[in-house]
């Protein structure tokens, strides 16, 4: 397999046809799947935002046969990879790819099958402008049914401080690449967005490599 051109990804990815292969997904997909299975709805409609290569979608949808998993990414190269992974997986409950960009105003208006039982975003809000987090939470507040859940995975600072030197260095590298990017502070940046959009914090799960899985419930 060869390497694709550089894009939003922060890692070197192998490519086979249209399929992209993420080294970080190979490392974290099992632990993310296991936490998601314990904390998120097991049936109904689930929307994934910023799916990247599509590997997480295939891995998790395969473990949720009673749920309809709708996945996609605003990046064209990522969508081609997602489509290839969906075709290869042959899962009846996996749909997409959509081209949703959560920085667009009223992005959720394009979806005609709301409400959703769950929304998932893995490793997205730190490699996007903060408007992506704002848009994600605003859309979740409007799209989720009461009791529906929003699942986030990635690195977060806590109460204004990084949780590990590696996360601080990662944050600096993100900002060097794009000053609009960065590891978000959970209490200072994320909780206010949840509260503004009628979402309550349900659970925080510590994950390997100083990451967190964070689950919110729609009031």
């Amino acid at each position: 397999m060869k390497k694709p051109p550089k894009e939003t990804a922060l890692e070197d990815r192998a490519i086979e046809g249209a399929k992209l292969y993420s080294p970080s997904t190979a490392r974290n997909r099992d632990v993310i799947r296991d936490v998601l299975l314990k904390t998120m709805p097991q049936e109904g409609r689930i929307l994934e935002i910023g799916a990247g290569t599509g590997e997480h979608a295939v891995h998790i949808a395969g473990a949720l046969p009673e749920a309809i998993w709708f996945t996609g990414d605003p990046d064209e190269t990522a969508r081609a990879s997602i489509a290839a992974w969906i075709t290869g997986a042959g899962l009846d409950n996996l749909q997409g790819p959509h081209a949703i960009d959560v920085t667009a105003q009223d992005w959720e208006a394009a979806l005609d099958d709301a409400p959703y039982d769950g929304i998932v975003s893995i490793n997205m809000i730190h490699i996007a402008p903060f408007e992506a987090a704002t848009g994600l939470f605003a859309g979740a507040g409007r799209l989720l049914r009461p009791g529906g859940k929003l699942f986030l995975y990635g690195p977060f600072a806590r109460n204004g401080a990084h949780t590990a030197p590696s996360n601080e260095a990662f944050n600096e590298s993100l900002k060097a690449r794009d000053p609009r990017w960065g590891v978000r502070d959970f209490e200072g940046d994320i909780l206010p967005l949840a509260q503004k959009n009628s979402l309550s914090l349900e659970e925080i799960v510590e994950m390997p490599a100083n990451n967190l899985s964070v689950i919110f419930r729609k009031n």
Side-chain angles (χ1 to χ4, degrees):
M1 292 184 288
K2 61 182 180 178
K3 294 180 180 178
K6 290 286 187 181
E7 24 77 52
T8 305
L10 305 175
E11 60 187 355
D12 289 328
R13 291 173 169 174
I15 184 169
E16 183 178 28
K19 281 185 179 179
L20 297 173
Y21 290 80
S22 164
S24 62
T25 299
R27 294 191 298 268
N28 65 32
R29 61 186 180 184
D30 286 340
V31 292
I32 292 175
R33 177 203 60 200
D34 292 348
V35 171
L36 196 146
L37 289 175
K38 292 178 181 178
T39 60
M40 292 290 285
Q42 304 296 293
E43 57 185 17
R45 296 189 60 80
I46 297 178
L47 175 67
E48 184 181 14
I49 298 295
T53 65
E55 294 168 276
H56 280 121
V58 168
H59 197 63
I60 298 170
L64 285 171
E66 301 302 317
I68 302 298
W69 190 279
F70 186 32
T71 187
D73 195 283
D75 179 77
E76 184 177 359
T77 301
R79 289 197 302 276
S81 178
I82 294 165
W85 278 103
I86 289 175
T87 299
L91 295 171
D92 293 337
N93 65 326
L94 182 56
Q95 300 177 355
H98 62 69
I100 289 170
D101 180 351
V102 291
T103 65
Q105 187 174 7
D106 297 328
W107 59 267
E108 71 279 6
L111 299 168
D112 58 6
D113 48 6
Y116 282 82
D117 299 275
I119 297 176
V120 173
S121 186
I122 297 169
N123 278 333
M124 188 276 286
I125 63 174
H126 59 284
I127 55 171
F130 189 65
E131 288 78 9
T134 301
L136 174 65
F137 275 85
R142 290 189 283 264
L143 287 174
L144 286 172
R145 63 168 177 79
K149 297 185 182 182
L150 170 64
F151 179 98
L152 303 182
Y153 168 88
F156 294 90
R158 299 299 307 271
N159 294 302
H162 291 288
T163 60
S166 59
N167 277 14
E168 183 173 9
F170 183 45
N171 181 62
E172 292 174 358
S173 71
L174 290 171
K175 290 188 174 299
R177 181 164 177 170
D178 188 326
R180 301 173 301 165
W181 296 2
V183 174
R184 310 304 177 187
D185 183 73
F186 184 75
E187 284 76 14
D189 296 328
I190 303 303
L191 273 182
L193 293 179
Q195 293 163 356
K196 181 179 179 180
N197 292 286
S198 300
L199 295 162
S200 299
L201 176 63
E202 182 166 276
E203 189 170 356
I204 297 176
V205 181
E206 293 188 1
M207 305 291 282
N210 302 306
N211 290 304
L212 298 175
S213 287
V214 184
I215 301 90
F216 297 92
R217 177 185 288 270
K218 174 69 183 297
N219 297 332

